Amino acid sequence: MTSSASARKWLALFKTRRPDPMSDRRSLIAGNWKLNGTRETGVALAEAIAQGMSTSERCDVLLCPPFPYLEAVAKAVEGTRLKVGAQNVAAAASGAYTGEVSAHMLAELGVSHVIVGHSERRSLFGESDADVGARTLGALDAGLVPIVCVGETQAERESGDVDTVIARQLAAVRDAVGADSLDKLVVAYEPVWAIGTGLTASPDQAQAVHAMIRAWLAVAGAGSAGDMLILYGGSMKPGNAAELLAQADIDGGLIGGASLVAEDFLGICQATV
Ligand code: PEP
C-alpha cells in the first residue's frame, strides 16, 4: 500500500473511533535547555521557575537541562512541583556505547521524562526513525516517560507530506515499543521550520496536525489515545502560547529558547490556566 493510501485508510478508520478531544488531560509544559548555561545558571533558573510557579496553573512542569546538570537541578527542585527530564537516552541499558547515557542512569538522578527524536538529534546527529524507536524503548524499559518528537521540514510541508512524514516517524516508534505501550508516550509535534526560527505554526495548523496524531495513535492501537498528551513545540512564547494551548488537541508545550528565561517560561505556564 502506498503511504498516501495508508494515510487515507487510517483517517477513514479514525472517523469511527475518534477519541474525545475534550478529555480532562492535564497540560505539560517542558523546557528544553539544549546545550546552554552552567551549573550555577541552571540551578538559579530552576530555582527562579520554582519560586515563580503559583498553584493556579493547570499544568505539570518539566525542566530538561544538559546531562551534567541533571542531578543539581533535580536537587534544586526537590519538594516543588517541578520535574526533571533529560534531552536524550541510549537505547541500550549498558555496554560498549561510548558517550551514551542509559535510562537507568537517568532514573538514578531523579529524572522522570526524556526527550527522544528531537529534530536536532535527527538532523545533526543522524538519528534515524529506527534509532528513535530503539531509544524510546530504552526509556520505557527503565520506567521513564519518553517525549517523542515528530515533525516535518518546510520542504515536506510544501510538498503536502506532513501526515505521511509524521505517520512514518510514529510507526517506527510503534514498531519498536509495540502498540500496547503507545499510550505510555508523550508525543511532541515540532514542525522543524518553527524550531528556533521565530516562526510558529498557526493554532489551526498545529491543531490539525495534533488531531491527526491522536487519530493515528488511536488507529495504531493506543488504548487511551484520548488521554495521551500531545505537546506543541516551535517558537512558543508567552505571547502566542494561550492561543495554541487553547486548541482541543494541544496539551502543552515543548519550549526551547523561551525556557531559558524564567519570566518567559512562567508566562507560558500561566497560559495554561
Ligand atoms: C525545541 O527545541 O524543542 C524548541 C521548540 O525550540 P524553540 O522553542 O526555541 O523553537
Side-chain angles (χ1 to χ4, degrees):
M1 196 185 308
T2 65
S3 39
S4 57
S6 138
R8 274 198 303 277
K9 186 180 155 215
W10 61 256
L11 274 172
L13 259 172
F14 176 61
K15 287 195 176 131
T16 59
R17 294 170 54 182
R18 185 156 183 12
D20 174 8
M22 300 316 280
S23 154
D24 193 22
R25 296 181 293 269
R26 188 175 163 81
S27 310
L28 173 65
I29 303 293
N32 175 11
W33 294 0
K34 308 194 187 190
L35 183 59
N36 288 300
T38 63
R39 184 184 174 94
E40 195 182 332
T41 61
V43 167
L45 178 59
E47 286 172 351
I49 292 169
Q51 275 161 22
M53 295 296 302
S54 75
T55 46
S56 58
E57 287 110 13
R58 266 195 84 251
C59 63
D60 291 320
V61 180
L62 180 73
L63 307 180
C64 302
F67 285 132
Y69 309 143
L70 281 167
E71 196 164 15
V73 170
K75 198 158 171 242
V77 301
E78 219 167 50
T80 75
R81 49 192 285 232
L82 303 187
K83 297 180 181 175
V84 175
Q87 299 174 20
N88 202 2
V89 63
S94 64
Y97 301 101
T98 303
E100 292 286 285
V101 177
S102 80
H104 288 281
M105 293 169 181
L106 295 174
E108 271 189 338
L109 299 179
V111 163
S112 58
H113 292 63
V114 60
I115 299 168
V116 280
H118 190 282
S119 71
E120 287 151 16
R121 297 302 316 173
R122 293 177 189 262
S123 66
L124 302 176
F125 300 98
E127 288 185 16
S128 65
D129 291 338
D131 292 331
V132 174
R135 288 173 189 272
T136 304
L137 181 60
L140 285 177
D141 281 348
L144 300 186
V145 179
I147 301 177
V148 177
C149 300
V150 296
E152 81 288 356
T153 62
Q154 180 76 50
E156 288 162 342
R157 175 162 280 270
E158 282 165 8
S159 58
D161 289 332
V162 177
D163 291 3
T164 313
V165 168
I166 288 170
R168 188 202 73 222
Q169 293 170 332
L170 289 171
V173 173
R174 190 262 330 268
D175 291 349
V177 306
D180 287 352
S181 292
L182 280 176
D183 46 19
K184 297 184 190 137
L185 312 179
V186 172
V187 177
Y189 168 54
E190 297 211 303
V192 178
W193 48 271
I195 296 179
T197 59
L199 299 172
T200 314
S202 70
D204 285 350
Q205 277 176 325
Q207 166 57 25
V209 179
H210 280 235
M212 182 279 279
I213 290 172
R214 203 176 299 285
W216 189 93
L217 292 165
V219 173
S224 44
D227 295 329
M228 288 178 68
L229 296 186
I230 306 176
L231 314 183
Y232 170 79
S235 299
M236 194 186 266
K237 313 272 178 224
N240 60 24
E243 239 192 327
L244 286 159
L245 295 168
Q247 302 303 308
D249 287 290
I250 300 185
D251 308 315
L254 181 53
I255 322 296
S259 72
L260 295 171
V261 179
E263 196 186 347
D264 290 351
F265 189 67
L266 288 164
I268 295 172
C269 296
Q270 279 147 16
T272 63
V273 175

